[in-house]
Amino acid sequence: MSHKSSTFWVFALPVSLVILAAAYYIKIPSARRFIDAHTSLGHQLFGSFVHDTVIIETKPPKDDDPLSVTINERGTAANVKPAVPTPVPVFDLQKLARDPSHWPKKVMLKKATGFPAVVGGKVVGSLTAPVGAEANLKMIKDGKIGLEYQGGGALVPVEDTDLAVRAMAQ
C-alpha cells in the first residue's frame, strides 16, 4: 500500500512561521526592534500594521552637520537638534544650613520618630510621630535637623525626612 503525502503539509509549516513572525512583529516592540536590527524585510512587509510611533534614524545626528535628518514613520524628514542636557540640581545641606530663609517651614517624616511628649511646657513622656507626619523645621546642625512635633523636639537624620525634596522645590 502506498502512502500519498499531501502538499498541504509542505506549505503549512513555513506559512505558520510567517504568521507567527508577523504577529510578534506587530504586537511586541522588542521583537520588532530585533527583527529590524537584522533585516528591513519585516518593516517592509508588516510595518503598515504597526500602530505605535516608530522612528527610524538614517544616520546619527552630528552637532556640526546642519543637514542631519531623521525619517519618521510617515516618511517625512525632520531636522534634529541634539538635546542639551539640563544640569540636575544637587541638594547641598551645608549651603541650606547657612541660609535659613530658604528652609521649608515643615518637613514630612519618612520613618516613625520618637519625640518627647510635652504638656504645659513640661516633658510628661514620649510619643512616636508616624510616617508621613509633618514636623516644624527648627535647626540644621552637623548633618541632622532639629524638628518640633506637638511641642517636643528631636534631632533627626536628614535622610529620615523629605527636606531635600522640599528645599529643592523652593
Side-chain angles (χ1 to χ4, degrees):
M1 189 187 259
S2 74
H3 185 272
K4 192 174 182 182
S5 65
S6 171
T7 57
F8 170 79
W9 295 109
V10 173
F11 295 105
L13 180 63
V15 169
S16 64
L17 290 176
V18 169
I19 292 171
L20 182 64
Y24 271 87
Y25 187 88
I26 293 168
K27 293 291 184 186
I28 302 174
S30 60
R32 186 170 34 253
R33 285 191 297 272
F34 177 79
I35 292 169
D36 286 344
H38 290 84
T39 180
S40 63
L41 185 62
H43 183 70
Q44 292 170 355
L45 293 175
F46 311 120
S48 63
F49 298 105
V50 176
H51 297 293
D52 60 349
T53 303
V54 177
I55 297 175
I56 302 168
E57 291 186 19
T58 56
K59 63 179 181 177
K62 296 180 181 175
D63 291 340
D64 59 346
D65 185 6
L67 300 177
S68 64
V69 295
T70 297
I71 306 299
N72 64 20
E73 181 182 354
R74 294 174 192 86
T76 58
N79 285 336
V80 175
K81 299 282 183 190
V84 177
T86 56
V88 177
V90 177
F91 176 66
D92 185 359
L93 183 63
Q94 301 301 326
K95 183 178 175 184
L96 182 64
R98 289 189 298 267
D99 190 4
S101 66
H102 287 97
W103 293 6
K105 296 203 183 306
K106 294 185 177 285
V107 294
M108 185 179 68
L109 299 173
K110 292 182 182 178
K111 291 173 79 176
T113 306
F115 286 89
V118 178
V119 176
K122 293 185 180 183
V123 176
V124 295
S126 65
L127 61 90
T128 302
V131 173
E134 286 193 336
N136 298 320
L137 177 61
K138 296 297 183 180
M139 68 178 220
I140 301 175
K141 184 177 181 183
D142 299 328
K144 293 195 175 198
I145 58 175
L147 300 179
E148 181 265 327
Y149 181 76
Q150 295 185 357
L155 283 175
V156 178
V158 175
E159 304 82 40
D160 292 353
T161 69
D162 69 342
L163 174 64
V165 174
R166 291 189 186 214
M168 300 293 281
Q170 288 188 352

PDB file of all heavy atoms in Angstrom, residues 25-62:
ATOM      1  N   TYR A  25       5.965  40.707  15.342  1.00  0.00           N
ATOM      2  CA  TYR A  25       6.444  41.994  14.840  1.00  0.00           C
ATOM      3  C   TYR A  25       5.430  43.100  15.127  1.00  0.00           C
ATOM      4  O   TYR A  25       5.785  44.191  15.556  1.00  0.00           O
ATOM      5  CB  TYR A  25       6.700  41.911  13.331  1.00  0.00           C
ATOM      6  CG  TYR A  25       7.344  43.149  12.779  1.00  0.00           C
ATOM      7  CD1 TYR A  25       8.719  43.286  12.771  1.00  0.00           C
ATOM      8  CD2 TYR A  25       6.581  44.219  12.294  1.00  0.00           C
ATOM      9  CE1 TYR A  25       9.323  44.426  12.288  1.00  0.00           C
ATOM     10  CE2 TYR A  25       7.174  45.363  11.815  1.00  0.00           C
ATOM     11  CZ  TYR A  25       8.552  45.458  11.811  1.00  0.00           C
ATOM     12  OH  TYR A  25       9.147  46.603  11.344  1.00  0.00           O
ATOM     13  N   ILE A  26       4.170  42.831  14.915  1.00  0.00           N
ATOM     14  CA  ILE A  26       3.127  43.849  15.060  1.00  0.00           C
ATOM     15  C   ILE A  26       2.845  44.157  16.528  1.00  0.00           C
ATOM     16  O   ILE A  26       2.691  45.314  16.905  1.00  0.00           O
ATOM     17  CB  ILE A  26       1.836  43.386  14.343  1.00  0.00           C
ATOM     18  CG1 ILE A  26       2.092  43.345  12.828  1.00  0.00           C
ATOM     19  CG2 ILE A  26       0.665  44.303  14.666  1.00  0.00           C
ATOM     20  CD1 ILE A  26       1.019  42.633  12.042  1.00  0.00           C
ATOM     21  N   LYS A  27       2.829  43.153  17.397  1.00  0.00           N
ATOM     22  CA  LYS A  27       2.382  43.337  18.769  1.00  0.00           C
ATOM     23  C   LYS A  27       3.481  43.581  19.799  1.00  0.00           C
ATOM     24  O   LYS A  27       3.236  44.168  20.839  1.00  0.00           O
ATOM     25  CB  LYS A  27       1.558  42.123  19.231  1.00  0.00           C
ATOM     26  CG  LYS A  27       0.251  41.989  18.506  1.00  0.00           C
ATOM     27  CD  LYS A  27      -0.674  43.090  18.899  1.00  0.00           C
ATOM     28  CE  LYS A  27      -2.026  42.940  18.274  1.00  0.00           C
ATOM     29  NZ  LYS A  27      -2.890  44.048  18.529  1.00  0.00           N
ATOM     30  N   ILE A  28       4.710  43.145  19.548  1.00  0.00           N
ATOM     31  CA  ILE A  28       5.759  43.193  20.575  1.00  0.00           C
ATOM     32  C   ILE A  28       6.909  44.082  20.095  1.00  0.00           C
ATOM     33  O   ILE A  28       7.654  43.712  19.184  1.00  0.00           O
ATOM     34  CB  ILE A  28       6.261  41.774  20.908  1.00  0.00           C
ATOM     35  CG1 ILE A  28       5.070  40.924  21.373  1.00  0.00           C
ATOM     36  CG2 ILE A  28       7.365  41.833  21.951  1.00  0.00           C
ATOM     37  CD1 ILE A  28       5.395  39.484  21.586  1.00  0.00           C
ATOM     38  N   PRO A  29       7.053  45.281  20.709  1.00  0.00           N
ATOM     39  CA  PRO A  29       8.103  46.208  20.274  1.00  0.00           C
ATOM     40  C   PRO A  29       9.514  45.635  20.347  1.00  0.00           C
ATOM     41  O   PRO A  29      10.336  45.910  19.479  1.00  0.00           O
ATOM     42  CB  PRO A  29       7.952  47.396  21.224  1.00  0.00           C
ATOM     43  CG  PRO A  29       6.544  47.330  21.695  1.00  0.00           C
ATOM     44  CD  PRO A  29       6.204  45.878  21.736  1.00  0.00           C
ATOM     45  N   SER A  30       9.819  44.829  21.361  1.00  0.00           N
ATOM     46  CA  SER A  30      11.176  44.279  21.454  1.00  0.00           C
ATOM     47  C   SER A  30      11.450  43.302  20.308  1.00  0.00           C
ATOM     48  O   SER A  30      12.560  43.255  19.776  1.00  0.00           O
ATOM     49  CB  SER A  30      11.389  43.605  22.805  1.00  0.00           C
ATOM     50  OG  SER A  30      10.470  42.555  22.978  1.00  0.00           O
ATOM     51  N   ALA A  31      10.448  42.530  19.905  1.00  0.00           N
ATOM     52  CA  ALA A  31      10.613  41.640  18.761  1.00  0.00           C
ATOM     53  C   ALA A  31      10.786  42.454  17.482  1.00  0.00           C
ATOM     54  O   ALA A  31      11.589  42.106  16.614  1.00  0.00           O
ATOM     55  CB  ALA A  31       9.405  40.712  18.637  1.00  0.00           C
ATOM     56  N   ARG A  32      10.044  43.548  17.375  1.00  0.00           N
ATOM     57  CA  ARG A  32      10.146  44.426  16.211  1.00  0.00           C
ATOM     58  C   ARG A  32      11.555  45.011  16.104  1.00  0.00           C
ATOM     59  O   ARG A  32      12.152  45.042  15.031  1.00  0.00           O
ATOM     60  CB  ARG A  32       9.088  45.532  16.314  1.00  0.00           C
ATOM     61  CG  ARG A  32       9.009  46.408  15.112  1.00  0.00           C
ATOM     62  CD  ARG A  32       7.815  47.351  15.106  1.00  0.00           C
ATOM     63  NE  ARG A  32       7.395  47.842  16.372  1.00  0.00           N
ATOM     64  CZ  ARG A  32       6.295  47.487  17.058  1.00  0.00           C
ATOM     65  NH1 ARG A  32       5.475  46.697  16.625  1.00  0.00           N
ATOM     66  NH2 ARG A  32       5.995  47.971  18.221  1.00  0.00           N
ATOM     67  N   ARG A  33      12.112  45.471  17.254  1.00  0.00           N
ATOM     68  CA  ARG A  33      13.472  46.012  17.229  1.00  0.00           C
ATOM     69  C   ARG A  33      14.483  44.942  16.829  1.00  0.00           C
ATOM     70  O   ARG A  33      15.419  45.202  16.077  1.00  0.00           O
ATOM     71  CB  ARG A  33      13.816  46.598  18.596  1.00  0.00           C
ATOM     72  CG  ARG A  33      13.155  47.928  18.863  1.00  0.00           C
ATOM     73  CD  ARG A  33      13.723  48.598  20.103  1.00  0.00           C
ATOM     74  NE  ARG A  33      13.481  47.834  21.320  1.00  0.00           N
ATOM     75  CZ  ARG A  33      12.392  47.951  22.070  1.00  0.00           C
ATOM     76  NH1 ARG A  33      11.463  48.813  21.745  1.00  0.00           N
ATOM     77  NH2 ARG A  33      12.249  47.218  23.165  1.00  0.00           N
ATOM     78  N   PHE A  34      14.296  43.719  17.330  1.00  0.00           N
ATOM     79  CA  PHE A  34      15.203  42.616  16.992  1.00  0.00           C
ATOM     80  C   PHE A  34      15.148  42.317  15.497  1.00  0.00           C
ATOM     81  O   PHE A  34      16.183  42.189  14.842  1.00  0.00           O
ATOM     82  CB  PHE A  34      14.836  41.374  17.803  1.00  0.00           C
ATOM     83  CG  PHE A  34      15.681  40.172  17.466  1.00  0.00           C
ATOM     84  CD1 PHE A  34      16.953  40.057  17.995  1.00  0.00           C
ATOM     85  CD2 PHE A  34      15.206  39.188  16.621  1.00  0.00           C
ATOM     86  CE1 PHE A  34      17.748  38.960  17.691  1.00  0.00           C
ATOM     87  CE2 PHE A  34      15.994  38.095  16.308  1.00  0.00           C
ATOM     88  CZ  PHE A  34      17.264  37.973  16.837  1.00  0.00           C
ATOM     89  N   ILE A  35      13.939  42.223  14.957  1.00  0.00           N
ATOM     90  CA  ILE A  35      13.788  41.900  13.538  1.00  0.00           C
ATOM     91  C   ILE A  35      14.333  43.043  12.677  1.00  0.00           C
ATOM     92  O   ILE A  35      15.053  42.809  11.703  1.00  0.00           O
ATOM     93  CB  ILE A  35      12.305  41.599  13.203  1.00  0.00           C
ATOM     94  CG1 ILE A  35      11.882  40.291  13.887  1.00  0.00           C
ATOM     95  CG2 ILE A  35      12.095  41.505  11.701  1.00  0.00           C
ATOM     96  CD1 ILE A  35      10.389  40.012  13.850  1.00  0.00           C
ATOM     97  N   ASP A  36      14.024  44.293  13.045  1.00  0.00           N
ATOM     98  CA  ASP A  36      14.511  45.437  12.266  1.00  0.00           C
ATOM     99  C   ASP A  36      16.029  45.545  12.309  1.00  0.00           C
ATOM    100  O   ASP A  36      16.650  46.029  11.361  1.00  0.00           O
ATOM    101  CB  ASP A  36      13.886  46.740  12.765  1.00  0.00           C
ATOM    102  CG  ASP A  36      12.424  46.877  12.351  1.00  0.00           C
ATOM    103  OD1 ASP A  36      11.991  46.135  11.443  1.00  0.00           O
ATOM    104  OD2 ASP A  36      11.733  47.721  12.943  1.00  0.00           O
ATOM    105  N   ALA A  37      16.652  45.114  13.399  1.00  0.00           N
ATOM    106  CA  ALA A  37      18.109  45.172  13.510  1.00  0.00           C
ATOM    107  C   ALA A  37      18.771  44.169  12.570  1.00  0.00           C
ATOM    108  O   ALA A  37      19.915  44.369  12.164  1.00  0.00           O
ATOM    109  CB  ALA A  37      18.536  44.890  14.948  1.00  0.00           C
ATOM    110  N   HIS A  38      18.064  43.103  12.206  1.00  0.00           N
ATOM    111  CA  HIS A  38      18.663  42.071  11.367  1.00  0.00           C
ATOM    112  C   HIS A  38      18.230  42.147   9.911  1.00  0.00           C
ATOM    113  O   HIS A  38      18.952  41.666   9.029  1.00  0.00           O
ATOM    114  CB  HIS A  38      18.331  40.688  11.941  1.00  0.00           C
ATOM    115  CG  HIS A  38      19.041  40.429  13.228  1.00  0.00           C
ATOM    116  ND1 HIS A  38      18.548  40.858  14.440  1.00  0.00           N
ATOM    117  CD2 HIS A  38      20.216  39.820  13.500  1.00  0.00           C
ATOM    118  CE1 HIS A  38      19.378  40.516  15.394  1.00  0.00           C
ATOM    119  NE2 HIS A  38      20.410  39.887  14.862  1.00  0.00           N
ATOM    120  N   THR A  39      17.067  42.706   9.646  1.00  0.00           N
ATOM    121  CA  THR A  39      16.608  42.809   8.260  1.00  0.00           C
ATOM    122  C   THR A  39      15.535  43.886   8.154  1.00  0.00           C
ATOM    123  O   THR A  39      14.794  44.142   9.096  1.00  0.00           O
ATOM    124  CB  THR A  39      16.044  41.465   7.749  1.00  0.00           C
ATOM    125  OG1 THR A  39      15.618  41.633   6.398  1.00  0.00           O
ATOM    126  CG2 THR A  39      14.861  40.988   8.574  1.00  0.00           C
ATOM    127  N   SER A  40      15.457  44.520   6.996  1.00  0.00           N
ATOM    128  CA  SER A  40      14.404  45.520   6.788  1.00  0.00           C
ATOM    129  C   SER A  40      13.153  44.872   6.203  1.00  0.00           C
ATOM    130  O   SER A  40      12.140  45.545   6.004  1.00  0.00           O
ATOM    131  CB  SER A  40      14.904  46.622   5.850  1.00  0.00           C
ATOM    132  OG  SER A  40      15.198  46.066   4.573  1.00  0.00           O
ATOM    133  N   LEU A  41      13.204  43.588   5.937  1.00  0.00           N
ATOM    134  CA  LEU A  41      12.072  42.888   5.342  1.00  0.00           C
ATOM    135  C   LEU A  41      10.837  42.929   6.240  1.00  0.00           C
ATOM    136  O   LEU A  41       9.721  43.098   5.766  1.00  0.00           O
ATOM    137  CB  LEU A  41      12.466  41.429   5.040  1.00  0.00           C
ATOM    138  CG  LEU A  41      11.426  40.591   4.303  1.00  0.00           C
ATOM    139  CD1 LEU A  41      11.137  41.190   2.940  1.00  0.00           C
ATOM    140  CD2 LEU A  41      11.898  39.163   4.162  1.00  0.00           C
ATOM    141  N   GLY A  42      11.046  42.818   7.572  1.00  0.00           N
ATOM    142  CA  GLY A  42       9.912  42.859   8.495  1.00  0.00           C
ATOM    143  C   GLY A  42       9.170  44.174   8.414  1.00  0.00           C
ATOM    144  O   GLY A  42       7.933  44.208   8.373  1.00  0.00           O
ATOM    145  N   HIS A  43       9.904  45.277   8.374  1.00  0.00           N
ATOM    146  CA  HIS A  43       9.263  46.596   8.284  1.00  0.00           C
ATOM    147  C   HIS A  43       8.559  46.770   6.942  1.00  0.00           C
ATOM    148  O   HIS A  43       7.476  47.347   6.867  1.00  0.00           O
ATOM    149  CB  HIS A  43      10.297  47.695   8.497  1.00  0.00           C
ATOM    150  CG  HIS A  43       9.706  49.074   8.500  1.00  0.00           C
ATOM    151  ND1 HIS A  43       8.901  49.511   9.522  1.00  0.00           N
ATOM    152  CD2 HIS A  43       9.774  50.094   7.606  1.00  0.00           C
ATOM    153  CE1 HIS A  43       8.495  50.746   9.258  1.00  0.00           C
ATOM    154  NE2 HIS A  43       9.022  51.113   8.106  1.00  0.00           N
ATOM    155  N   GLN A  44       9.163  46.257   5.872  1.00  0.00           N
ATOM    156  CA  GLN A  44       8.554  46.376   4.556  1.00  0.00           C
ATOM    157  C   GLN A  44       7.255  45.587   4.455  1.00  0.00           C
ATOM    158  O   GLN A  44       6.267  46.057   3.888  1.00  0.00           O
ATOM    159  CB  GLN A  44       9.529  45.899   3.478  1.00  0.00           C
ATOM    160  CG  GLN A  44      10.727  46.798   3.310  1.00  0.00           C
ATOM    161  CD  GLN A  44      11.791  46.188   2.410  1.00  0.00           C
ATOM    162  OE1 GLN A  44      11.668  45.042   1.979  1.00  0.00           O
ATOM    163  NE2 GLN A  44      12.831  46.961   2.143  1.00  0.00           N
ATOM    164  N   LEU A  45       7.239  44.383   5.047  1.00  0.00           N
ATOM    165  CA  LEU A  45       6.049  43.538   4.947  1.00  0.00           C
ATOM    166  C   LEU A  45       4.968  43.893   5.962  1.00  0.00           C
ATOM    167  O   LEU A  45       3.783  43.900   5.637  1.00  0.00           O
ATOM    168  CB  LEU A  45       6.437  42.061   5.125  1.00  0.00           C
ATOM    169  CG  LEU A  45       7.297  41.444   4.028  1.00  0.00           C
ATOM    170  CD1 LEU A  45       7.687  40.029   4.407  1.00  0.00           C
ATOM    171  CD2 LEU A  45       6.564  41.459   2.704  1.00  0.00           C
ATOM    172  N   PHE A  46       5.380  44.175   7.214  1.00  0.00           N
ATOM    173  CA  PHE A  46       4.406  44.305   8.287  1.00  0.00           C
ATOM    174  C   PHE A  46       4.342  45.700   8.892  1.00  0.00           C
ATOM    175  O   PHE A  46       3.552  45.947   9.786  1.00  0.00           O
ATOM    176  CB  PHE A  46       4.709  43.295   9.399  1.00  0.00           C
ATOM    177  CG  PHE A  46       4.923  41.897   8.908  1.00  0.00           C
ATOM    178  CD1 PHE A  46       6.126  41.256   9.136  1.00  0.00           C
ATOM    179  CD2 PHE A  46       3.931  41.229   8.224  1.00  0.00           C
ATOM    180  CE1 PHE A  46       6.334  39.970   8.686  1.00  0.00           C
ATOM    181  CE2 PHE A  46       4.139  39.948   7.768  1.00  0.00           C
ATOM    182  CZ  PHE A  46       5.340  39.308   7.996  1.00  0.00           C
ATOM    183  N   GLY A  47       5.181  46.617   8.451  1.00  0.00           N
ATOM    184  CA  GLY A  47       5.249  47.955   9.038  1.00  0.00           C
ATOM    185  C   GLY A  47       3.942  48.719   8.989  1.00  0.00           C
ATOM    186  O   GLY A  47       3.620  49.490   9.891  1.00  0.00           O
ATOM    187  N   SER A  48       3.148  48.519   7.954  1.00  0.00           N
ATOM    188  CA  SER A  48       1.878  49.249   7.841  1.00  0.00           C
ATOM    189  C   SER A  48       0.850  48.781   8.877  1.00  0.00           C
ATOM    190  O   SER A  48      -0.131  49.472   9.131  1.00  0.00           O
ATOM    191  CB  SER A  48       1.309  49.096   6.438  1.00  0.00           C
ATOM    192  OG  SER A  48       1.014  47.737   6.172  1.00  0.00           O
ATOM    193  N   PHE A  49       1.074  47.631   9.491  1.00  0.00           N
ATOM    194  CA  PHE A  49       0.150  47.115  10.501  1.00  0.00           C
ATOM    195  C   PHE A  49       0.505  47.567  11.914  1.00  0.00           C
ATOM    196  O   PHE A  49      -0.249  47.335  12.845  1.00  0.00           O
ATOM    197  CB  PHE A  49       0.108  45.584  10.456  1.00  0.00           C
ATOM    198  CG  PHE A  49      -0.381  45.038   9.146  1.00  0.00           C
ATOM    199  CD1 PHE A  49       0.505  44.486   8.248  1.00  0.00           C
ATOM    200  CD2 PHE A  49      -1.721  45.102   8.818  1.00  0.00           C
ATOM    201  CE1 PHE A  49       0.063  43.993   7.037  1.00  0.00           C
ATOM    202  CE2 PHE A  49      -2.172  44.611   7.604  1.00  0.00           C
ATOM    203  CZ  PHE A  49      -1.277  44.057   6.703  1.00  0.00           C
ATOM    204  N   VAL A  50       1.656  48.183  12.068  1.00  0.00           N
ATOM    205  CA  VAL A  50       2.107  48.644  13.380  1.00  0.00           C
ATOM    206  C   VAL A  50       1.455  49.984  13.667  1.00  0.00           C
ATOM    207  O   VAL A  50       1.515  50.894  12.852  1.00  0.00           O
ATOM    208  CB  VAL A  50       3.642  48.758  13.422  1.00  0.00           C
ATOM    209  CG1 VAL A  50       4.100  49.320  14.747  1.00  0.00           C
ATOM    210  CG2 VAL A  50       4.270  47.411  13.154  1.00  0.00           C
ATOM    211  N   HIS A  51       0.864  50.132  14.868  1.00  0.00           N
ATOM    212  CA  HIS A  51       0.117  51.342  15.192  1.00  0.00           C
ATOM    213  C   HIS A  51       0.774  52.224  16.224  1.00  0.00           C
ATOM    214  O   HIS A  51       0.181  53.152  16.718  1.00  0.00           O
ATOM    215  CB  HIS A  51      -1.292  50.984  15.658  1.00  0.00           C
ATOM    216  CG  HIS A  51      -2.097  50.307  14.597  1.00  0.00           C
ATOM    217  ND1 HIS A  51      -2.495  50.937  13.450  1.00  0.00           N
ATOM    218  CD2 HIS A  51      -2.526  49.034  14.500  1.00  0.00           C
ATOM    219  CE1 HIS A  51      -3.168  50.089  12.686  1.00  0.00           C
ATOM    220  NE2 HIS A  51      -3.195  48.926  13.304  1.00  0.00           N
ATOM    221  N   ASP A  52       2.008  51.939  16.611  1.00  0.00           N
ATOM    222  CA  ASP A  52       2.694  52.832  17.532  1.00  0.00           C
ATOM    223  C   ASP A  52       3.723  53.649  16.759  1.00  0.00           C
ATOM    224  O   ASP A  52       4.006  53.381  15.608  1.00  0.00           O
ATOM    225  CB  ASP A  52       3.352  52.068  18.688  1.00  0.00           C
ATOM    226  CG  ASP A  52       4.377  51.058  18.222  1.00  0.00           C
ATOM    227  OD1 ASP A  52       4.443  50.787  17.016  1.00  0.00           O
ATOM    228  OD2 ASP A  52       5.115  50.537  19.077  1.00  0.00           O
ATOM    229  N   THR A  53       4.264  54.671  17.406  1.00  0.00           N
ATOM    230  CA  THR A  53       5.212  55.543  16.750  1.00  0.00           C
ATOM    231  C   THR A  53       6.579  54.889  16.707  1.00  0.00           C
ATOM    232  O   THR A  53       7.128  54.515  17.732  1.00  0.00           O
ATOM    233  CB  THR A  53       5.307  56.882  17.503  1.00  0.00           C
ATOM    234  OG1 THR A  53       4.003  57.442  17.564  1.00  0.00           O
ATOM    235  CG2 THR A  53       6.246  57.827  16.807  1.00  0.00           C
ATOM    236  N   VAL A  54       7.099  54.752  15.503  1.00  0.00           N
ATOM    237  CA  VAL A  54       8.415  54.172  15.308  1.00  0.00           C
ATOM    238  C   VAL A  54       9.247  55.190  14.555  1.00  0.00           C
ATOM    239  O   VAL A  54       8.843  55.688  13.513  1.00  0.00           O
ATOM    240  CB  VAL A  54       8.342  52.856  14.497  1.00  0.00           C
ATOM    241  CG1 VAL A  54       9.729  52.304  14.237  1.00  0.00           C
ATOM    242  CG2 VAL A  54       7.484  51.843  15.204  1.00  0.00           C
ATOM    243  N   ILE A  55      10.405  55.528  15.082  1.00  0.00           N
ATOM    244  CA  ILE A  55      11.296  56.468  14.417  1.00  0.00           C
ATOM    245  C   ILE A  55      12.500  55.686  13.919  1.00  0.00           C
ATOM    246  O   ILE A  55      13.159  54.994  14.677  1.00  0.00           O
ATOM    247  CB  ILE A  55      11.740  57.594  15.368  1.00  0.00           C
ATOM    248  CG1 ILE A  55      10.512  58.390  15.783  1.00  0.00           C
ATOM    249  CG2 ILE A  55      12.777  58.478  14.721  1.00  0.00           C
ATOM    250  CD1 ILE A  55      10.801  59.448  16.808  1.00  0.00           C
ATOM    251  N   ILE A  56      12.764  55.812  12.645  1.00  0.00           N
ATOM    252  CA  ILE A  56      13.893  55.135  12.040  1.00  0.00           C
ATOM    253  C   ILE A  56      14.925  56.200  11.685  1.00  0.00           C
ATOM    254  O   ILE A  56      14.645  57.105  10.896  1.00  0.00           O
ATOM    255  CB  ILE A  56      13.470  54.371  10.775  1.00  0.00           C
ATOM    256  CG1 ILE A  56      12.379  53.360  11.127  1.00  0.00           C
ATOM    257  CG2 ILE A  56      14.660  53.709  10.120  1.00  0.00           C
ATOM    258  CD1 ILE A  56      11.699  52.769   9.926  1.00  0.00           C
ATOM    259  N   GLU A  57      16.102  56.112  12.275  1.00  0.00           N
ATOM    260  CA  GLU A  57      17.147  57.086  12.003  1.00  0.00           C
ATOM    261  C   GLU A  57      17.998  56.588  10.855  1.00  0.00           C
ATOM    262  O   GLU A  57      18.444  55.446  10.854  1.00  0.00           O
ATOM    263  CB  GLU A  57      18.004  57.316  13.236  1.00  0.00           C
ATOM    264  CG  GLU A  57      17.270  58.025  14.335  1.00  0.00           C
ATOM    265  CD  GLU A  57      18.186  58.376  15.491  1.00  0.00           C
ATOM    266  OE1 GLU A  57      19.405  58.400  15.299  1.00  0.00           O
ATOM    267  OE2 GLU A  57      17.653  58.613  16.572  1.00  0.00           O
ATOM    268  N   THR A  58      18.236  57.463   9.883  1.00  0.00           N
ATOM    269  CA  THR A  58      19.056  57.080   8.751  1.00  0.00           C
ATOM    270  C   THR A  58      20.531  57.213   9.062  1.00  0.00           C
ATOM    271  O   THR A  58      21.335  56.473   8.556  1.00  0.00           O
ATOM    272  CB  THR A  58      18.705  57.936   7.524  1.00  0.00           C
ATOM    273  OG1 THR A  58      18.850  59.305   7.872  1.00  0.00           O
ATOM    274  CG2 THR A  58      17.287  57.668   7.085  1.00  0.00           C
ATOM    275  N   LYS A  59      20.896  58.188   9.891  1.00  0.00           N
ATOM    276  CA  LYS A  59      22.270  58.341  10.348  1.00  0.00           C
ATOM    277  C   LYS A  59      22.235  59.111  11.652  1.00  0.00           C
ATOM    278  O   LYS A  59      21.316  59.890  11.896  1.00  0.00           O
ATOM    279  CB  LYS A  59      23.130  59.065   9.311  1.00  0.00           C
ATOM    280  CG  LYS A  59      22.695  60.491   9.025  1.00  0.00           C
ATOM    281  CD  LYS A  59      23.601  61.134   8.009  1.00  0.00           C
ATOM    282  CE  LYS A  59      23.153  62.569   7.748  1.00  0.00           C
ATOM    283  NZ  LYS A  59      24.015  63.253   6.843  1.00  0.00           N
ATOM    284  N   PRO A  60      23.211  58.905  12.502  1.00  0.00           N
ATOM    285  CA  PRO A  60      23.203  59.639  13.769  1.00  0.00           C
ATOM    286  C   PRO A  60      23.447  61.123  13.528  1.00  0.00           C
ATOM    287  O   PRO A  60      24.302  61.494  12.719  1.00  0.00           O
ATOM    288  CB  PRO A  60      24.342  59.005  14.572  1.00  0.00           C
ATOM    289  CG  PRO A  60      25.192  58.305  13.569  1.00  0.00           C
ATOM    290  CD  PRO A  60      24.321  57.977  12.411  1.00  0.00           C
ATOM    291  N   PRO A  61      22.670  62.003  14.189  1.00  0.00           N
ATOM    292  CA  PRO A  61      22.864  63.443  14.003  1.00  0.00           C
ATOM    293  C   PRO A  61      24.175  63.904  14.624  1.00  0.00           C
ATOM    294  O   PRO A  61      24.621  63.375  15.623  1.00  0.00           O
ATOM    295  CB  PRO A  61      21.664  64.066  14.719  1.00  0.00           C
ATOM    296  CG  PRO A  61      21.207  63.028  15.669  1.00  0.00           C
ATOM    297  CD  PRO A  61      21.594  61.696  15.086  1.00  0.00           C
ATOM    298  N   LYS A  62      24.774  64.902  13.983  1.00  0.00           N
ATOM    299  CA  LYS A  62      26.012  65.494  14.487  1.00  0.00           C
ATOM    300  C   LYS A  62      25.757  66.961  14.775  1.00  0.00           C
ATOM    301  O   LYS A  62      24.950  67.606  14.106  1.00  0.00           O
ATOM    302  CB  LYS A  62      27.132  65.357  13.461  1.00  0.00           C
ATOM    303  CG  LYS A  62      27.502  63.916  13.181  1.00  0.00           C
ATOM    304  CD  LYS A  62      28.603  63.847  12.166  1.00  0.00           C
ATOM    305  CE  LYS A  62      28.954  62.401  11.858  1.00  0.00           C
ATOM    306  NZ  LYS A  62      29.933  62.294  10.797  1.00  0.00           N
TER     307      LYS A  62
END
